[in-house]
Amino acid sequence: MRRSWALTRAARARTTGICPLGTAVVTVAFLASERLGTYAAHGAGLLMPAATDDNVWVAGVVVRVTPVAVALVPLPLVPAPAGVVLACPRERLAARVTPPSQPSGSSQRSLTDI
């Protein structure tokens, strides 16, 4: 915790602001994909009665579920850039803090060095 506080001392507001920003990016990507999924749902809803012997209940379920399913397909691609956004300030802040020096002749690494 001490190292974390030392790394973020210079930019606490910026570091804290990155998390809501990443959440907003993922939310916008999900909502945009869901909106595009409504077009696929419309086509699937028109085909379902023909495929299920005019069962309108199945068509209704497909129309409700398809936009969310379409939105979840590209969603794993969004957190990767969001993770890069989180890693960039960490690297910049880590370069500012000098690591603690080890006694001469000591070849063991401590857990804080990892």
Side-chain angles (χ1 to χ4, degrees):
M1 286 301 289
R2 189 177 315 128
R3 185 166 188 260
S4 175
W5 279 102
L7 287 173
T8 60
R9 181 175 292 130
R12 290 214 174 124
R14 189 174 17 165
T15 305
T16 305
I18 287 175
C19 291
L21 178 67
T23 303
V25 168
V26 170
T27 302
V28 167
F30 178 80
L31 292 175
S33 297
E34 188 178 26
R35 177 63 60 107
L36 292 173
T38 58
Y39 297 111
H42 178 71
L46 291 175
L47 291 175
M48 252 326 116
T52 61
D53 205 20
D54 290 332
N55 188 343
V56 294
W57 297 102
V58 173
V61 169
V62 167
V63 168
R64 293 281 186 169
V65 171
T66 302
V68 175
V70 168
L72 290 176
V73 170
L75 198 59
L77 302 176
V78 176
V84 171
V85 168
L86 290 171
C88 289
R90 184 190 184 288
E91 288 298 319
R92 239 180 300 148
L93 291 170
R96 292 184 191 169
V97 177
T98 59
S101 61
Q102 293 183 0
S104 61
S106 173
S107 63
Q108 293 181 349
R109 294 176 65 184
S110 68
L111 289 177
T112 58
D113 295 336
I114 297 174

